[in-house]
Amino acid sequence: MDITNLKAWEIREKILNKEISSYEVTEQFLEKIDEVEDEINAFITIDADRALDEAKKVDEKIAQGIEIGILAGLPVAVKDNIMTKNLRTTCASKMLEKYIPPYNATVVEKIKKEDGIIIGKTNMDEFAMGGSTETSYFGITRNPRNKSIVPGGSSGGSAAAIAANEAALSLGTDTGGSIRQPASYCGVVGIKPTYGLVSRFGVVPMSNSLDQVGVFGKDVKDAYLALKSIAGFDPHDATSSKRAKLEELNFDEVSLKGLKIALPKEYDELRVKGDEKIRVVFENSIRVFERNGAKIEYVSLPYLKYALETYYLISTAEVSTNLSRFDGIRYGHRAFEYKTLDELYINSRTEGFGEETKRRIMMGTYALSQGYKDEHYKKALKIRTLIKNDYDRIFKDYDVILSITSPILPFPFDSVINSPVDMYKADTYTVPVNLAGLCAISVPMGEVDSLPVGLQITANRFNEKTLFTAAYGYERSANDEL
Amino acid sequence: MMSYKTLVGLEIHVELMTERKMFCNCKNEFGAMPNTNVCPVCLGLPGALPVMDKEAVEYAIMAGLAFNCEIEKTIIMDRKSYFYPDLTKGYQISQSDFPLCKGGFLEIDLDEGPKKIRLERIHIEEDTGKQIHTENGTTLLDFNRSGVPLIEIVTKPDINSSEEARLFLEKLKNTIKYLGVSDVKMEEGSLRCDVNINVIDEERNIRTNISEIKNLNSFKSVVKAIEYEQKRHIEALENGSNTDKETRRFNELTGETILMRKKFQASDYRYQFEADLTPIEIKEEWINEIRTAMPELPDQKKRRFMKDYKLNEYDASILTQSKELSFFYEELTDLVNDAKLAANWVMTDVLRRLKEEDKELSQLNLTPKALAELLDYVKSGKVNNNTAKKVLREMLETGESAKNIIDKQGLIQINDEEELSRVIDEVIKDNQQSVEDFKNGKDRALGYLMGQIMKKTKGKANPNTANKMLIDKINKN
């Protein structure tokens, strides 16, 4: 039996019922990695030996009847911008090619505490900047659904690892869609939780006011299980919330009946050329909600149309300072040749960072510079507040907002990447969620031209329970209707 | 004669003596082995996040209250971007648009009366690491200091002379010591001061461009640097030229300032909101709690000393000029129950000794309790003043108690009139010439006779009693 095909929650039950050992599970996933990794390249680093050791320990615990965590024996792939003690963490950059962290991110500690098995570190766009995983220093990741197509990004490796059965669950980070878009492209479920639900301690920031750690799974229940393990207040992260807790949800009792759904009409104005086929699939999924008793209404969020520009001003400004610490002095890449201190900085950073990273650092530095700061960075902060206010108003009357996850289909390598602005436009539906600190999930809603497309469901801050209710209700109904 | 006015503004960095660093759990201590008090946060490792230390905020608010500032309602931190090897993140977590404390002032005492030096602001920020340049040309980095909480106090250009600057700094240092939020040691870097200076030719209404002076390691350096700069700026005006806007470094050996760099344009630190630290609300109750827990400040203490101990303003100022001295005085007064006596002894004998030996009170071999024991002898008349001064000297040298010294040397004052009478009779008999001289109006002769009495009694005679008896006996003759 190929256990890697199963959902994480199914594997978990088999381990708990002692149908299969944790060791065997890890072994099977490692075999799968061996089999497909040459082609997929979802991982930057695979930690096979340690994973097997850890799996053995879980088996011992089970044998001794010691209470085990909720991820007991499940192989988890971790995006390579999340610190893992004594396990190389590169951010897919030459800058950190050889960086071995001396500490674990809080989310990694939590996974270990819940007896999850960290199987390896996944590929991504360099420092999480990009939507195709093509900016990685460690080569491209192929979409398991179609090998000539990108997996999306920036958490492309984590999404591909799930789609290719290389891990039971995976962690990603989402700053403007970096979990939801690759989930959509790879045909898996990906959730970006509310800002403050999951600790960012030990997660290399891209844009620290927008970043949030989230998870990938084969289905909604998997995503719930994974998120449950990492959610919670962390005293080491001042932005993590004291109310951070994922509420219990009885999936058997989930119903879409009476769910109040909002459809922002501004999304019609923001349409991207060529999204017609995706729109058709989206209309069909709205009908699924309707047929199951949800109420759907059109609403207006007037400031939504400025979200993309706002996002790119704030995120690049934050990128520019967040990446300042990579200066070649204490760790990371240091240029071989330099004569002065300035040259040490300039040469190290010129050599260590890739093109997209440098582009964003420069944009952000510009947005913060004297004479430009007021009309760029500061104005963007104001519009961000207005966008937040728009959402707050909508969520007084509605439970969730529906949209497509990405307005463009998963694309071939070397295509969109050559036009940064088109790449940025692919984030149209995902970035407003980060600006407002909301939670959102992407669930598969069908296919266009044999490529997966995702449905994005958005809920209010710390309303993950409603989000999972809507997502699971949809997933179950859509499957039933097949 | 032209009339010039010097304008000086100070920027003072004070390291706060919190137990932990500002954003992590590392110990905040001076002098530890390099890079032992460090962690991912203060080393700026990838992914590490800052969390604000409550004590640092409380200390900073305390300073703000002591200097009469308005306290901001919300703490908003900013990133100040620049590259330097001792800065671990490429930005320093500081404050830009919303300093924790605004306005405020500190009063200094000038001969012509008190003068208010207004403050611009006090903000909180983290300290950087330290660079150590070795002889072979390499540079070593020590990050023990990285992330230590600082307050930066910025004055308005209300200071008009080097003397005013010195008085201001001394008052500031003393106040902060009273608060106990810093040990304010310039030699250890827990107090650092930069000077901004320019000069106005009031007649022609021309002002020189501001120089910023760095590398000032003592109050003396601050004074010398201001004096040097004042001269340099006035010379420029007299030559019909002007100074450049520049940063200069003070050279302690030559007493001169040297150009470091010209300031062609203001540096752009690209301040950005520090989103890793969510704004912290400062509730009125919190400020009140801090205010209540605040120790007494020098000016308050001075007023209380004048009222409770009936001291004049001068004495009260002297006795409150340092925290240690004021505590010493109060404890002493409580023990001997005589504020005036205690004040006299502290102000003359104790302070003189400190000055002579260039020492701090804590370095002196004397506790209030030990001195009180001696003063009890004085108060009860068992030892006279001169003897007591000698005993004190011996106490300081040997560390022995007053009682031991007095007992061992038999220094108890002779008050017994019979015994004194015998000695005086002897002295009169042996010094007839002096007795005659005194009778003839030579007052100095009495001093000589008293000296003889003291000699015979080894200084133990009660001087008042002996003096009175001597005059009586001579007059009766």
Side-chain angles (χ1 to χ4, degrees), chain B residues 452-468:
Chain B
Q452 293 305 307
I453 294 168
M454 285 302 176
K455 207 172 162 187
K456 275 198 185 307
T457 58
K458 293 186 182 134
K460 293 187 289 186
N462 181 326
N464 292 332
T465 317
N467 195 285
K468 200 165 152 273

Side-chain angles (χ1 to χ4, degrees), chain A residues 99 102-103 200-203 208 235-236 238-239 317-318 321-322 324-325 330-331 345 365 369-370 373 377-378, chain B residues 43-49 51 79 81 83-85 88-91 97 143 268 270-276 278:
Chain A
Y99 185 71
Y103 75 107
R200 294 186 300 111
F201 187 76
V203 180
N208 48 317
H236 295 299
T239 64
E318 290 179 1
T321 54
N322 284 327
S324 290
R325 65 184 64 192
R330 297 166 315 282
Y331 50 79
Y345 289 137
T365 305
S369 293
Q370 236 164 44
K373 192 163 130 182
Y377 177 65
K378 286 195 171 173
Chain B
L43 285 176
L45 297 190
L49 293 174
V51 177
R79 293 177 172 185
S81 284
F83 284 102
Y84 210 60
T88 57
K89 302 184 294 298
Y91 56 83
D97 292 348
F143 291 109
D268 185 357
R270 303 190 305 279
Y271 280 103
Q272 176 191 22
F273 170 59
E274 172 52 293
D276 284 341
T278 40

Side-chain angles (χ1 to χ4, degrees), chain A residues 168-353:
Chain A
L169 298 167
S170 64
L171 297 192
T173 59
D174 188 316
T175 306
S178 279
I179 287 174
R180 290 157 287 160
Q181 185 252 30
S184 167
Y185 284 13
C186 292
V188 298
V189 174
I191 177 169
K192 183 220 91 90
T194 304
Y195 188 80
L197 185 86
V198 180
S199 166
R200 294 186 300 111
F201 187 76
V203 180
V204 176
M206 175 191 148
S207 311
N208 48 317
S209 77
L210 300 160
D211 299 339
Q212 188 62 194
V213 181
V215 298
F216 294 92
K218 285 201 177 83
D219 68 358
V220 175
K221 273 182 170 175
D222 274 8
Y224 179 85
L225 179 67
L227 186 58
K228 184 93 183 154
S229 72
I230 59 167
F233 170 70
D234 177 11
H236 295 299
D237 175 2
T239 64
S240 95
S241 170
K242 291 227 164 91
R243 14 187 313 223
K245 194 175 170 260
L246 186 59
E247 284 176 77
E248 292 299 331
L249 180 62
N250 187 341
F251 283 99
D252 292 339
E253 287 169 11
V254 160
S255 159
L256 295 179
K257 202 161 187 228
L259 194 74
K260 283 180 273 180
I261 294 174
L263 295 174
K265 55 183 185 209
E266 281 72 18
Y267 282 152
D268 288 337
E269 298 166 33
L270 294 171
R271 287 185 59 175
V272 173
K273 227 173 83 188
D275 69 354
E276 296 79 10
K277 288 180 181 169
I278 307 175
R279 303 285 302 185
V280 173
V281 181
F282 178 56
E283 296 294 334
N284 288 340
S285 63
I286 294 173
R287 300 287 91 80
V288 173
F289 279 95
E290 229 168 18
R291 279 197 294 276
N292 284 279
K295 285 192 199 116
I296 292 154
E297 281 175 44
Y298 276 91
V299 297
S300 173
L301 289 92
Y303 288 100
L304 220 47
K305 51 180 170 288
Y306 305 112
L308 203 60
E309 289 82 351
T310 305
Y311 170 81
Y312 274 96
L313 281 170
I314 293 173
S315 69
T316 55
E318 290 179 1
V319 162
S320 78
T321 54
N322 284 327
L323 269 58
S324 290
R325 65 184 64 192
F326 303 105
D327 57 6
I329 300 282
R330 297 166 315 282
Y331 50 79
H333 177 75
R334 182 187 287 187
F336 188 67
E337 275 181 51
Y338 56 88
K339 285 191 203 75
T340 62
L341 180 61
D342 277 350
E343 269 183 30
L344 188 162
Y345 289 137
I346 293 166
N347 297 354
S348 300
R349 286 166 69 82
T350 303
E351 295 166 15
F353 289 140

